[in-house]
Amino acid sequence: MADLALYTYQEEVVQRALRGENIIIWLPTGGGKTRAAVYVAKRHLETTQKAKVVVLVNKVHLVEQHYNKEFMPHLGSKYDLVAVSGVSEEKDFFGKVVQDSDVVICTAQILYNALTNQEESKHVELSDITLLIIDECHHTNKDSVYNKVMGCYVEKKLKGEGPLPQILGLTASPGTGGAKILDKAVDHVLQICANLDSAIVSTKLYAPELKEKVPRPIKTFDIVEKRPEDPFGDHLKWMMQLIHDYMNLPPDFRLRECGTQEYEADVVILEQRGVREDNRLLAQCALHLRQYNDALLINDTLRMMDAYHSLFEFYATTTEIDGTDLFLTGLFNENEVELRKLAGTPLYENPKMSKLESTLLKQFDPSVKSRGILFSKTRKSTRCLHDWVLNNKDLQKAGIKAAVLTGAGNGISYMTQSEQADTIRNFRKGTLNLLISTSVAEEGLDIPECNLVVRYGLLTNEIAQQQASGRARARDSQYSVVAQKGGREVRRELINEHLEELTGKAIAKIQDMSLHEFRRKITQLQTEAVCCRKIAESRKIQRRSRNTADSISLLCRNCFKHVASGSDIKLVDGVHYVNVNPDFKRHCRFGGQVMIDKTFEDWEPGRIICCNNGGCNKDWGFEMKYKKVALLPNLAIKNFALETPDGRTTVKKWKDVTFTVEDFSFEEYCNDNFPDLFD
């Protein structure tokens, strides 16, 4: 078993946990929170009868990381450990896995599913667990799955039901929850403590040692002047104005400045209004304006040619149904050559790119072993930056070997989990020395010490800023913010510095409370939270009962054609919303095979499903083959409009529909579709 020595500051923060108390360990990124948790788990296993430790993480890739890097090396020789995630077969008999193991490391969703699933092989009770470790526990709020798990815990605690596991939370920062003043920040941190039924602890006596072991990087603002001229951006704005004039904007609706996040929010609302009012012209113009606004945002952050390509790719897949589509595609086609010409003019290129280049070149040199992370906002921007690095001769001469790191998921713009793991492994080995990453690398990932962290075109909260900054752990490392003079990124960074300080003050104020006062406040917040959850659940049931399923029509969100009834929709395994009406297939066009980087117990993906109405081709979802027999259209409700007795509406998720979706019956499906076999 590997040596499990702690630094003195770590020994200080685990003391109350070793006494069996519920605590949150607050240490900065790189401060060794996970190592402290392993130490607590080891002592718990040694001193507790029938001990059962469950470690919860909020991202799939952290399951294997915690298992391989921390828990297995220190506990594996004496105890049975198992790692379970959505890609593991063990999830299908999770109750048995918990029963037979000493330590289980899993995603929070796996445990929550087990708490609510009554099937014997899958079910778990909180009383089966003696120590529950929650990684990145600042996510235990609102409707997060962490908070759903802890909601079960708190309800049992208030009812006096037990036994309940000891709780150990880990966080680099609970944040202020958006609060700007101390009292509100205290309220937010207290709520996190109440949700976790835990006190928050940090090092007091050995803070100098922590500062020595986890040095803060040198922060710099690499500021650039505003572009003197931007004819490419000006041309996009002129085209947007033509669309504004064509769409006849409602008199009660004002669009804010284009090229901003606020404008994007406005056109999203405008598209929804167009759908509700059966005004396809308004809805389509709003959708296209969002693409132009995306191009402006890209132009502000990346190369002009990246912005041009984003529009070109959109219009390459845009179909034409009526005069609105003809106008919008015609406008782009008429201006495409001019846009390409302006985008290819070096004189007008984005000055932020040259500043980013100089920032990277200060740290990277073929004779120096440097490692860095370049944080950007979107998956698209990381791919554009990667292309820029690969095609920049000076950056290549400096020995930069870059790769993209984004969140795992299904779809062409996502990475698979194996691709993520390979990228991180190559970064650790030194085969790569620059990760171009979305926020996925800010939190939790075991990434080696970096001497450069760059935040580029990002507006985030104080938690994300601290976590990103904590990635620069090497001595004399640099944390750079590349931004335009007077831009929002600089203002946001300065606000986040204030909020980071405010978080520390809020925690100190809570730690100074008497035990009686702290427990009183926590119990009050927990009681209120349980009441709020019950009211919210009651309202959700009421909302789902507002209409009958057969009174609802589903319309394609693009062409507005009626394609299904609400009564055609059934719920498979509590997760998948499928259309069981055989006639639905005549509305469908089928595309290529969907590829998903994992296997499932009862189903596998089939082909992409699109709208077959004329030239619509709106993406609706994909086929799923259930139990190797039933081929079912699995639909995303965001791709449809709902015609209800109260009018037309749109929802993002199935949980927000106003009718009850009945469970899918495999037996009924077989009887209806294979009647000759079941007479």
Side-chain angles (χ1 to χ4, degrees):
M1 188 176 291
D3 181 44
L4 191 51
L6 298 183
Y7 291 117
T8 317
Y9 71 83
Q10 290 172 307
E11 291 177 352
E12 181 186 0
V13 297
V14 301
Q15 286 308 307
R16 290 175 66 178
L18 296 178
R19 296 198 294 268
E21 296 181 41
N22 289 358
I23 66 157
I24 299 165
I25 292 177
W26 174 46
L27 285 174
T29 300
K33 295 181 292 295
T34 311
R35 182 61 54 86
V38 175
Y39 187 86
V40 172
K42 180 174 179 288
R43 288 283 295 274
H44 181 85
L45 289 162
E46 290 168 348
T47 59
T48 307
Q49 276 194 331
K50 297 181 180 178
K52 189 81 64 182
V53 179
V54 173
V55 183
L56 298 186
V57 298
N58 63 329
K59 292 191 174 86
V60 172
H61 54 256
L62 297 179
V63 173
E64 292 298 329
Q65 177 182 296
H66 283 351
Y67 178 82
N68 291 321
K69 288 282 183 180
E70 293 288 351
F71 285 87
M72 194 63 183
H74 295 104
L75 304 177
S77 63
K78 284 185 68 176
Y79 303 102
D80 290 323
L81 280 76
V82 66
V84 187
S85 69
V87 300
S88 315
E89 290 183 3
E90 288 87 351
K91 72 180 186 299
D92 299 327
F93 44 94
F94 187 69
K96 190 81 169 63
V97 169
V98 171
Q99 188 180 330
D100 295 343
S101 308
D102 298 310
V103 180
V104 178
I105 303 166
C106 64
T107 49
Q109 190 66 53
I110 297 287
L111 177 60
Y112 182 67
N113 291 347
L115 291 172
T116 54
N117 191 325
Q118 296 308 310
E119 193 177 328
E120 188 176 348
S121 64
K122 297 181 180 180
H123 183 66
V124 171
E125 288 284 349
L126 284 170
S127 56
D128 298 333
I129 305 165
T130 56
L131 173 63
L132 184 61
I133 299 172
I134 303 181
D135 190 37
E136 309 293 352
C137 69
H138 50 272
H139 292 297
T140 313
N141 58 15
K142 299 181 181 175
D143 291 326
S144 74
V145 67
Y146 276 172
N147 212 22
K148 289 177 181 177
V149 170
M150 286 307 301
C152 299
Y153 178 105
V154 168
E155 282 201 39
K156 286 181 178 294
K157 176 210 164 184
L158 293 177
K159 289 177 184 175
E161 296 177 6
L164 290 171
Q166 179 186 351
I167 303 296
L168 177 61
L170 311 174
T171 183
S173 174
T176 67
K180 303 288 196 299
I181 59 173
L182 182 57
D183 286 351
K184 294 294 182 185
V186 168
D187 290 343
H188 169 75
V189 178
L190 273 173
Q191 187 66 64
I192 297 290
C193 291
N195 294 345
L196 288 155
D197 195 44
S198 299
I200 187 163
V201 299
S202 55
T203 182
K204 301 283 190 188
L205 302 174
Y206 301 99
E209 182 193 39
L210 173 62
K211 195 172 181 180
E212 167 68 20
K213 298 295 181 187
V214 189
R216 296 294 294 262
I218 301 159
K219 187 170 187 175
T220 61
F221 288 97
D222 292 314
I223 304 300
V224 297
E225 295 291 335
K226 191 175 180 180
R227 266 187 179 120
E229 289 182 273
D230 183 17
F232 177 80
D234 292 341
H235 199 85
L236 289 178
K237 290 175 183 176
W238 172 76
M239 294 171 72
M240 292 170 80
Q241 186 57 53
L242 292 179
I243 299 173
H244 290 169
D245 295 341
Y246 177 81
M247 73 196 293
N248 193 18
L249 197 67
D252 62 338
F253 199 95
R254 284 179 61 84
L255 288 165
R256 285 169 285 187
E257 183 185 358
C258 55
T260 63
Q261 298 291 344
E262 290 78 14
Y263 182 92
E264 179 179 321
D266 290 343
V267 291
V268 166
I269 293 168
L270 204 57
E271 186 271 341
Q272 293 168 349
R273 178 168 171 173
V275 173
R276 285 199 310 272
E277 296 176 357
D278 197 22
N279 185 342
R280 189 170 184 278
L281 184 151
L282 189 66
Q284 288 302 302
C285 287
L287 276 175
H288 285 246
L289 285 168
R290 183 173 182 180
Q291 296 297 322
Y292 279 93
N293 196 64
D294 278 350
L296 283 174
L297 290 168
I298 293 168
N299 180 54
D300 183 56
T301 311
L302 303 163
R303 298 167 296 187
M304 293 183 292
M305 197 55 78
D306 296 322
Y308 162 78
H309 281 307
S310 77
L311 270 181
F312 183 84
E313 288 165 10
F314 171 73
Y315 279 99
T317 58
T318 298
T319 55
E320 296 172 351
I321 296 174
D322 59 21
T324 299
D325 303 315
L326 290 170
F327 167 77
L328 292 165
T329 54
L331 177 64
F332 177 75
N333 291 335
E334 289 164 15
N335 288 273
E336 187 260 329
V337 173
E338 179 65 15
L339 286 171
R340 189 169 68 239
K341 177 185 164 188
L342 291 170
T345 308
L347 178 65
Y348 308 128
E349 195 50 273
N350 188 349
K352 289 181 187 173
M353 299 299 290
S354 58
K355 178 59 76 172
L356 177 59
E357 180 183 338
S358 66
T359 300
L360 292 172
L361 289 174
K362 284 177 192 171
Q363 292 287 337
F364 285 94
D365 185 279
S367 62
V368 179
K369 281 191 175 181
S370 290
R371 271 201 183 97
I373 306 178
L374 170 55
F375 285 106
S376 190
K377 184 179 179 184
T378 64
R379 292 188 297 276
K380 183 186 285 186
S381 65
T382 60
R383 293 197 303 275
C384 292
L385 286 166
H386 184 239
D387 179 72
W388 169 71
V389 169
L390 291 180
N391 290 286
N392 185 302
K393 291 178 182 176
D394 290 334
L395 295 179
Q396 291 304 302
K397 279 182 190 173
I400 292 181
K401 299 181 286 291
V404 166
L405 180 65
T406 61
N410 307 315
I412 195 165
S413 63
Y414 288 91
M415 297 182 81
T416 65
Q417 281 147 14
S418 58
E419 286 171 340
Q420 265 191 346
D422 288 344
T423 300
I424 294 163
R425 192 179 305 113
N426 288 330
F427 190 63
R428 285 197 192 107
K429 288 193 305 187
T431 311
L432 300 170
N433 56 15
L434 180 67
L435 290 181
I436 304 172
S437 179
T438 54
S439 59
V440 70
E442 287 173 349
E443 187 174 87
L445 278 176
D446 178 27
I447 290 173
E449 294 179 349
C450 298
N451 57 316
L452 176 66
V453 166
V454 181
R455 283 168 67 78
Y456 188 72
L458 280 174
L459 291 167
T460 56
N461 64 20
E462 71 281 7
I463 297 175
Q465 179 177 311
Q466 287 172 67
Q467 288 173 328
S469 171
R471 293 291 160 207
R473 300 179 197 171
R475 292 284 165 196
D476 302 320
S477 57
Q478 184 184 349
Y479 172 79
S480 167
V481 180
V482 177
Q484 184 177 295
K485 186 176 182 180
R488 293 188 300 171
E489 296 97 335
V490 175
R491 292 198 299 274
R492 184 72 235 187
E493 284 285 326
L494 295 173
I495 289 168
N496 285 343
E497 287 177 10
H498 164 68
L499 295 180
E500 182 180 350
E501 189 179 320
L502 192 64
T503 302
K505 289 179 179 176
I507 291 169
K509 193 167 182 180
I510 290 167
Q511 290 173 337
D512 287 341
M513 286 180 182
S514 70
L515 186 59
H516 173 75
E517 183 188 7
F518 177 76
R519 284 181 174 166
R520 182 183 63 78
K521 286 181 178 288
I522 292 302
T523 303
Q524 181 184 343
L525 288 169
Q526 290 174 336
T527 305
E528 290 172 0
V530 169
C531 290
C532 289
R533 266 195 297 274
K534 287 180 178 176
I535 292 168
E537 190 60 34
S538 172
R539 286 176 177 165
K540 187 164 77 171
I541 293 168
Q542 288 175 6
R543 184 175 66 246
R544 296 294 288 262
S545 307
R546 191 180 303 160
N547 303 120
T548 59
D550 57 8
S551 71
I552 303 293
S553 289
L554 273 70
L555 286 66
C556 173
R557 186 144 177 177
N558 184 45
C559 66
F560 295 176
K561 180 179 174 62
H562 165 84
V563 294
S565 165
S567 56
D568 297 335
I569 308 301
K570 304 300 178 191
L571 180 59
V572 176
D573 294 342
V575 178
H576 310 284
Y577 290 82
V578 301
N579 191 316
V580 296
N581 189 336
D583 291 341
F584 179 69
K585 288 180 182 174
R586 66 188 171 87
H587 298 296
C588 301
R589 179 179 290 124
F590 297 95
Q593 174 70 31
V594 173
M595 305 303 293
I596 299 179
D597 184 39
K598 53 184 170 181
T599 57
F600 304 91
E601 182 181 12
D602 286 324
W603 69 277
E604 58 189 73
R607 298 168 294 175
I608 293 168
I609 298 173
C610 304
C611 179
N612 195 30
N613 180 31
C616 178
N617 217 35
K618 173 71 176 173
D619 185 8
W620 283 347
F622 63 90
E623 293 175 308
M624 61 180 289
K625 195 171 189 178
Y626 185 67
K627 293 187 183 292
K628 302 188 183 301
V629 173
L631 200 58
L632 304 165
N634 187 9
L635 305 178
I637 192 60
K638 66 180 180 180
N639 297 324
F640 297 87
L642 297 172
E643 197 76 74
T644 78
D646 306 314
R648 190 177 295 182
T649 188
T650 59
V651 294
K652 282 185 179 179
K653 297 183 178 179
W654 279 104
K655 68 180 179 64
D656 298 319
V657 298
T658 58
F659 63 98
T660 300
V661 178
E662 294 179 357
D663 287 337
F664 173 75
S665 167
F666 184 65
E667 185 179 343
E668 280 182 27
Y669 176 88
C670 292
N671 286 329
D672 291 344
N673 288 272
F674 308 102
D676 296 342
L677 300 176
F678 296 94
D679 284 343

